[in-house]
Amino acid sequence: MEQVESRIASDLVCRQPRRSPVAKADPSVDRVNSPEYPSASSAPRVKRLRASPEPQRRHLPSTTLIGEAGANLILSRLQSWGIAAQPAMAGLPYDLIADVPGFDMLRIQVKTRSRPNGKRCIFTMQRGHQRSRAGTFPYAPGDFDLAAFVCLSLSAVFFYAGPVERISLGTPWLRLPGIDRESLDLAIKAIRRCRYNDKRAWLASMQSDPTPNSSVIDELDAGTPVQAELDLGIGD
């Protein structure tokens, strides 16, 4: 009889389903205040980001993008005229290098404005940035050979030779047909005359009685660039 009861008990144990470790835990144990379990305050808290609709506003281009757009516009104009040009290395006091016939290389500094201020475009020749440690400072006379001024909204380009501190261009002047190529030709003549005068001065220092060639001077009839403030334009 005892053997039969033991067999029945063993069969009942074998037939019982296996319990998970969670089911074996004692429900009477206080998990919140027990030292074996971490407190609820130490549990990680996650706050999900809610996607908010982005306000519809117009993003204005930065100063760097405006400058890059102006340099690319000058580059395309020069190449369309058959003048080989390429961007200069970063950190130099000029933006482009052009291979103009009759010169070794011309260094071009580009200044760009997104739109005119009223009826005029005012450009100030300064290096650096206001937020940098060095701040802004003017260019040296030998930093570049040719200055190029761009107004993006008008797609207008104007060239000027030599150092200049500030230039003001009227929008009617910038809208003149062919002003870009005409101003480039005048600037190249001014640079050629300036270099010829420097070469003649150097030759005069090497000779006792220099005799300049007047015919060459007449051919290079153009204004010598000066450090000044210019105001060019038609009307106010």
Side-chain angles (χ1 to χ4, degrees):
M1 190 68 180
E2 294 178 359
Q3 295 180 356
V4 175
E5 291 179 357
S6 62
R7 288 183 178 180
I8 294 174
S10 62
D11 293 341
L12 292 176
V13 172
C14 295
R15 293 178 181 178
Q16 288 181 356
R18 296 181 179 180
R19 296 182 181 180
S20 62
V22 179
K24 293 180 180 179
D26 190 358
S28 63
V29 177
D30 189 1
R31 298 184 180 180
V32 177
N33 300 324
S34 176
E36 299 178 359
Y37 295 92
S39 60
S41 60
S42 63
R45 298 180 180 180
V46 179
K47 184 179 181 180
R48 296 183 179 180
L49 295 176
R50 297 181 179 179
S52 58
E54 184 178 359
Q56 296 181 357
R57 57 184 179 182
R58 184 179 180 183
H59 297 279
L60 298 177
S62 62
T63 306
T64 304
L65 293 179
I66 292 176
E68 290 289 338
N72 292 333
L73 181 59
I74 295 296
L75 192 63
S76 64
R77 293 287 177 90
L78 293 176
Q79 292 177 353
S80 65
W81 296 334
I83 299 176
Q86 64 180 6
M89 294 179 60
L92 295 177
Y94 48 90
D95 299 319
L96 303 175
I97 301 176
D99 185 6
V100 180
F103 296 91
D104 296 335
M105 284 291 175
L106 283 184
R107 301 165 299 171
I108 304 175
Q109 172 57 233
V110 183
K111 292 298 179 182
T112 310
R113 290 189 61 90
S114 58
R115 59 181 58 85
N117 186 7
K119 294 183 179 181
R120 311 193 72 83
C121 280
I122 301 175
F123 301 89
T124 303
M125 302 298 292
Q126 288 183 347
R127 294 185 63 184
H129 197 273
Q130 296 179 355
R131 299 181 180 179
S132 63
R133 294 182 179 180
T136 58
F137 50 96
Y139 287 90
D143 282 346
F144 59 91
D145 304 314
L146 184 63
F149 305 99
V150 179
C151 184
L152 293 179
S153 62
L154 302 178
S155 297
V157 173
F158 184 82
F159 294 92
Y160 184 79
V164 60
E165 295 179 357
R166 183 175 179 271
I167 186 170
S168 177
L169 301 172
T171 53
W173 179 283
L174 292 174
R175 288 193 176 98
L176 291 176
I179 189 63
D180 49 357
R181 186 56 192 265
E182 184 178 356
S183 62
L184 177 63
D185 294 339
L186 292 176
I188 290 176
K189 290 181 180 179
I191 296 173
R192 183 179 289 111
R193 179 181 176 86
C194 184
R195 292 188 177 183
Y196 173 77
N197 291 336
D198 294 340
K199 183 177 181 180
R200 187 182 64 176
W202 180 80
L203 292 175
S205 64
M206 302 296 293
Q207 298 175 1
S208 58
D209 186 15
T211 55
N213 191 354
S214 59
S215 61
V216 178
I217 299 177
D218 295 336
E219 293 179 358
L220 302 176
D221 189 9
T224 304
V226 294
Q227 185 78 10
E229 179 178 340
L230 301 181
D231 189 356
L232 303 177
I234 300 176
D236 296 332

